[in-house]
């Protein structure tokens, strides 16, 4: 159902519940009150009917149909066109779901076009209908109620993001391999959230100032100022989230580099220890190779070997083995190989 709620108000009180848009237009002309029409993802024919009745700007109507707009405030004569980016925090997946709402405000009408479940405009309508004196101030009172609801629904989102950031800070020193990815995804959500909230300060200041065609009631200015205070505090909070995530990303990069350095140091120490073992083994192999070489030569038993018939041949061979082995041992010992 695209028409969520549809009513005509006179002096802040609900007087009629028309069954169709055409009936709304008829009752509004008769009673000269204020029409409040709530649409949810309307088709082009329905929105075109509203646009023709209230003479809405075609560019604004096109934006409302297509969606995917940034938060902004535009004036088209006596009509104010407002785009808001409401948000809600999904606890089950720990992510922020962003919506979009378009609001047309004129002298005698308020038309809301929603493209998501949030915000709950039925709650805004009940609240405004419970304050008929305030609602009697006109469409700008409805605009205040919508803005106030959107900003109020930002608070649980900020709380959820803050909790996620606290968890990331706890995981930073736990060597979690997924922490970098989580920081990046959370940073994207915070940036999108900041893009939704940061334009609201300028929007509210512009609404407080008004235009030559429409000057807000002093009471409404006070209410807009109250919402502005909430927005300014929220913007400071979101800016701190972004700074914390940037610091967390830098700390995580430093920790990753430190762990890599530690691993490289351990590999270097292991390689050094292996080299020391290789040097010891090679040294003893060289020491044992020298007498083995002498023994193998003298063990060939060729007939024409002058040392075979020498009286001191055997002691000389043993002495040569000892001297060569000792010389190699002392050399390797001096070089600290053994």
């Amino acid at each position: 159902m695209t028409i969520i709620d549809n009513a005509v108000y006179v002096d802040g009180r609900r007087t009629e519940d028309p069954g169709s848009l055409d009936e709304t237009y008829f009752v509004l002309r008769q009673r000269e009150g204020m029409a409040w029409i709530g649409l949810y993802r309307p088709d082009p024919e329905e929105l075109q009917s509203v646009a023709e009745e209230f003479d809405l700007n075609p560019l604004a109507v096109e934006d409302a149909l297509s969606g995917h707009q940034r938060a902004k405030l535009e004036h088209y004569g006596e009509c104010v066109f407002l785009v808001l980016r409401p948000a809600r925090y999904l606890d089950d997946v720990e992510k922020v779901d962003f919506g979009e709402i378009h609001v047309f405000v004129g002298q005698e009408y308020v038309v809301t076009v929603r493209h998501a479940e949030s915000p709950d405009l039925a709650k805004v309508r009940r609240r405004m209908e419970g304050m008929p004196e305030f609602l009697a101030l006109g469409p700008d009172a409805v605009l205040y109620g919508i803005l106030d609801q959107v900003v109020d629904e930002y608070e649980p989102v900020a709380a959820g993001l803050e909790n996620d950031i606290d968890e990331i800070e706890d995981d930073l020193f736990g060597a979690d391999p997924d922490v970098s990815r989580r920081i990046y995804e959370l940073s994207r959500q915070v940036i999108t959230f900041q893009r939704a909230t940061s334009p609201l300060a300028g929007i509210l200041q512009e609404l407080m100032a008004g235009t030559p065609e429409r000057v807000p009631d002093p009471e409404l200015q006070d209410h807009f100022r109250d919402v502005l205070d909430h927005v300014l505090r929220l913007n400071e909070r979101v800016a701190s989230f972004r700074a914390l995530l940037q610091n967390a990303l830098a700390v995580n990069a430093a920790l990753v580099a430190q762990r890599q350095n530690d691993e490289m140091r351990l590999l270097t120490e292991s390689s050094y220890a292996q080299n020391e073992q290789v040097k010891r083994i090679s040294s003893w192999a060289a020491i044992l190779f020298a007498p083995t070489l002498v023994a193998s030569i003298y063990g060939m038993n060729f007939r024409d070997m002058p040392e075979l018939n020498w009286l001191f041949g055997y002691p000389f061979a043993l002495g040569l083995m000892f001297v060569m082995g000792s010389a190699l041992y002392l050399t390797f010992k001096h070089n600290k190989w053994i």
Side-chain angles (χ1 to χ4, degrees), residues 1-8 14-28 36-39 46:
M1 183 182 298
T2 57
I3 302 177
I4 303 301
D5 204 345
N6 182 24
V8 175
R14 189 169 185 146
T15 62
E16 192 73 28
D17 295 324
S20 66
L21 291 176
D22 290 335
E23 187 178 347
T24 301
Y25 308 149
F26 177 76
V27 173
L28 181 61
W36 186 352
I37 303 172
L39 304 175
E46 285 177 324

Side-chain angles (χ1 to χ4, degrees), residues 7 13 47 121:
R13 301 186 184 278
L47 192 55
L121 294 184

Side-chain angles (χ1 to χ4, degrees), residues 287-334:
I287 293 172
L288 293 176
F289 174 75
T292 301
L293 177 62
V294 175
S296 62
I297 293 174
Y298 277 88
M300 290 188 291
N301 295 323
F302 288 109
R303 178 174 296 177
D304 296 326
M305 291 183 67
E307 295 86 356
L308 291 177
N309 298 318
W310 187 29
L311 179 63
F312 299 102
Y314 179 69
F316 176 77
L318 291 178
L320 181 60
M321 294 178 189
F322 177 77
V323 170
M324 292 178 65
S326 299
L328 289 173
Y329 176 82
L330 294 174
T331 301
F332 293 138
K333 188 71 174 178
H334 177 73

Side-chain angles (χ1 to χ4, degrees), residues 2-9 12-18 24 34-40 110-114 119-132 134-135 141-146 149:
T2 57
I3 302 177
I4 303 301
D5 204 345
N6 182 24
V8 175
Y9 298 84
R13 301 186 184 278
R14 189 169 185 146
T15 62
E16 192 73 28
D17 295 324
T24 301
M34 176 189 70
W36 186 352
I37 303 172
L39 304 175
Y40 178 72
V110 177
V111 179
T112 59
V113 180
R114 284 194 297 127
D120 185 2
L121 294 184
K123 184 184 296 185
V124 177
R125 194 181 289 262
R126 290 192 298 268
R127 177 189 174 193
M128 293 294 102
E129 289 176 352
M131 301 184 298
F134 182 73
L135 188 56
V142 178
L143 181 58
Y144 155 75
I146 295 172
Q149 180 66 27

Side-chain angles (χ1 to χ4, degrees), residues 186-230:
L186 190 56
S187 296
R188 291 182 59 187
Q189 294 185 55
V190 169
I191 290 173
T192 306
F193 189 42
Q194 191 174 38
R195 289 174 179 170
T197 61
S198 58
L200 291 180
I203 289 173
L204 286 161
Q205 290 171 348
E206 193 171 346
L207 288 173
M208 290 168 55
T211 63
E213 292 81 7
R214 53 187 305 138
V215 179
D217 185 271
E219 184 177 355
L220 281 171
Q221 288 181 333
D222 292 338
H223 282 77
F224 284 137
R225 187 177 296 107
D226 179 67
V227 179
L228 177 61
D229 290 340
H230 286 82

